[in-house]
Amino acid sequence: MFRLKFPLLTFFVLFTTFSFSQTENVYNSLFVPQELVDKANAVVRFEKNQVEILGLDKIKITTKRITTVYNKRGNKHVNAVLFYDNSRSINKMEALIYDAFGEEIKKVRKKDFKDVSAVSDFSIYEDDRVKYLDYIPLKYPYTVEFNAETVYTSTAFFPNWYPIDDYYVSVEHSDYEIINTANIDLKAKKVNFEGYNIKEISENHFVAENIQGIKYEAYTPELKNIIPHYKVALKKFEMVGVEGENNTWNDFGKWMYDRLLTGTDEIPQATKDHVKQLTAGVDDKIERAKIIYKYMQDKTRYISIQVGIGGWKPMLANDVDKLGYADCKGLTNYTKALLEAVDVPSYYTLVYGGRGLRDIDSEFSSTQGNHAILCVPNDDENIFLECTSQTNPFGFTAGFTDDRKVLLVKPEGGEIVHTKVYEADDSVQNTTASIIMDTSGSFTADVAITTTGYQYNIHEGIEKKTERDQKLHYKEYWDNINNLSIDNISISNDKDAIIYNEKVQLTFANYASKSGLRLIFQPNMFNKVTQIPPRYTDRKLEFKIDRGFKDTDEFIIQIPEGLKVEAMTESKDIKTKFGSYNFKIETLANNKLKYSRTYILNKGNYEKEDYKAFRNFSKQIVKYDKSKIVLIQS
């Protein structure tokens, strides 16, 4: 995943001191309330997070966390890990490990924590390092007390409070407190506190108690969108010596443009002359932008470089031009500079990239996002460019940065806008097939699949696989067909129209089952839904369909002479608020049959009470996708 570098403050709850009534019970796993043990891989027995604001450029974070772990999946929730670099220092770090009965079995001092570079697999250099507890338990349950004190000299990344770490983690006691010694103005926002046992002790001081672990349920929105958390940001902050103002998104964007982007977009005159020559005579600015985007894709490649001002200041465009590589920030900034050279305006854009849909919070300005993309305004439309991809079509964002709020960084300030939403009619998969059946119940077929939108995103890339891997792909894709042989594959990727075309010739033996003089088979061979969403007797969480789509299928089946249709499943038409489904089997002239099917799934947010009806809709699709045709000798 492409990302901007952030201290992992907002993703881990790591900040505390101790003011809880401390007894041996908090270390003894036998004293955990049973309702917290249920549905839990780990239980946070006690947590106290204290953040002290010492100045515009300094915060101190004190941590105590006691966690009882019940199985291997719970080990990661000990959270005995700290990242550090030039702007983050670790003053104290220790861990005490206890057995199931609360007896101390090991003490780990700061020097004994594992200390490694935090360089990721896709990064050539980062200035992060990480210290973490490297402990393999002999028995479960066990308990870890983690104590730490860290100092940050960059206040742009303020530690937010997430009392719930993950699914299947219960919380017995979690305490978060801000001590504003320096009396610096800050702003805060409570999110999703309703329905949880959270008390406000005083201003910026909260306690959460006895919160049961959340069981994962299918189609649940991203966890961070549903769990309680407390957002905090300083109105005036410092990022590695660069002061900033943050009353509104307009302020924050203006600071970013002036202090982080200005002066980074110079490119050599020779490059300017070259791109002007490439676009000479092209009057339409979007056509010029397409030429520049392809030039950038051909010239550069993505590689992560997480250094600089908190990982937020992009690499100089001059250096990207010379080296031919950069991270998302550098490539976005470089593309922006190239477009400026041919008089196409564009805006550096911050976004939460990922398959899940996560917004920049439009109501709360702060250092947010994990990725950078580029916005090219076109009248009332914003076209977004993924600058880290060497293969993406121009303006294509489905699957990674689509349908979410993002921050445009403009010279006059920041602006929140929404990226393209791919509706069901934008994300279409059309499958057609010409099928010939023989008297033994074996088939040969020419299958054509075209995809657009989000479905294009799912299919794109098959053409880069080896022939062997392509055949394996289609055998897995059509795993409902036994004895499948792939005879020929032809793929074309129309990046201008953003349509992916696949043509596959195949044979499969003994697909139809024999019963005396009859042959029985399912005509939906090439786009069958087989999975039904899990059943919940008492669903707890709302559910969401992130992306809609539309599937259309038409298969023409030539049956052999001497066979005729004895019976076939009647057509079906289903309409619900979640989508629609219909199929039909028709007899044609010359001993042919036509199977046609349309399945539309609508994106949307739904109440938990709707889940049963949604699951029933899915069950019907699975049922009717198994519709049968019975042939008999005439």
Side-chain angles (χ1 to χ4, degrees), residues 238-486:
E238 189 169 293
M239 183 188 285
V240 195
V242 179
E243 290 189 11
E245 187 171 332
N246 180 32
N247 293 296
T248 64
W249 276 121
N250 187 72
D251 292 339
F252 187 86
K254 176 91 173 128
W255 167 78
M256 245 196 111
Y257 186 89
D258 291 344
R259 303 303 299 271
L260 300 188
L261 300 183
T262 300
T264 64
D265 57 354
E266 286 298 318
I267 55 175
Q269 186 60 47
T271 300
K272 292 181 182 179
D273 293 341
H274 180 62
V275 294
K276 286 179 180 179
Q277 185 179 5
L278 286 176
T279 57
V282 180
D283 295 329
D284 185 87
K285 71 172 184 178
I286 299 304
E287 291 304 314
R288 293 201 302 275
K290 288 180 180 180
I291 294 168
I292 294 301
Y293 184 63
K294 185 176 188 308
Y295 170 78
M296 181 279 300
Q297 287 182 308
D298 292 341
K299 181 181 173 63
T300 65
R301 61 192 174 94
Y302 170 82
I303 195 159
S304 179
I305 308 167
Q306 306 297 336
V307 294
I309 299 179
W312 274 51
K313 190 177 180 72
M315 183 176 168
L316 295 176
N318 251 326
D319 290 340
V320 179
D321 188 79
K322 178 174 63 176
L323 297 171
Y325 61 75
D327 60 8
C328 63
K329 304 179 299 295
L331 292 172
T332 297
N333 189 54
Y334 178 60
T335 308
K336 180 177 180 294
L338 293 172
L339 289 173
E340 285 176 0
V342 297
D343 299 320
V344 177
S346 62
Y347 302 121
Y348 190 94
T349 303
L350 292 179
V351 58
Y352 281 112
R355 188 188 179 283
L357 306 183
R358 186 180 177 192
D359 290 326
I360 298 284
D361 187 342
S362 60
E363 299 175 351
F364 192 83
S365 59
S366 62
T367 46
Q368 296 181 43
N370 63 2
H371 188 49
I373 56 178
L374 193 65
C375 173
V376 178
N378 181 36
D379 297 328
D380 295 332
E381 177 191 13
N382 287 321
I383 299 172
F384 292 93
L385 304 182
E386 175 55 69
C387 300
T388 59
S389 171
Q390 293 177 293
T391 60
N392 255 39
F394 179 86
F396 184 76
T397 59
F400 193 68
T401 56
D402 58 318
D403 192 13
R404 64 202 75 195
K405 293 177 182 176
V406 299
L407 175 68
L408 303 188
V409 181
K410 297 182 171 182
E412 62 271 22
E415 179 186 350
I416 300 292
V417 300
H418 206 99
T419 59
K420 179 178 173 65
V421 178
Y422 289 83
E423 303 289 357
D425 283 338
D426 299 315
S427 298
V428 177
Q429 174 178 288
N430 180 49
T431 306
T432 60
S434 177
I435 304 164
I436 299 174
M437 177 185 183
D438 69 17
T439 55
S440 70
S442 298
F443 293 80
T444 62
D446 289 339
V447 184
I449 305 171
T450 61
T451 45
T452 64
Y454 180 63
Q455 303 221 64
Y456 171 99
N457 175 71
I458 295 171
H459 286 245
E460 191 269 337
I462 303 170
E463 77 278 8
K464 301 171 199 156
K465 297 177 182 286
T466 64
E467 182 181 351
R468 176 180 177 276
D469 287 343
Q470 286 180 355
K471 288 184 176 182
L472 287 173
H473 163 79
Y474 287 111
K475 285 186 176 182
E476 290 173 4
Y477 185 68
W478 290 313
D479 61 359
N480 57 296
I481 302 176
N482 294 323
N483 308 313
L484 179 63
S485 175
I486 307 296

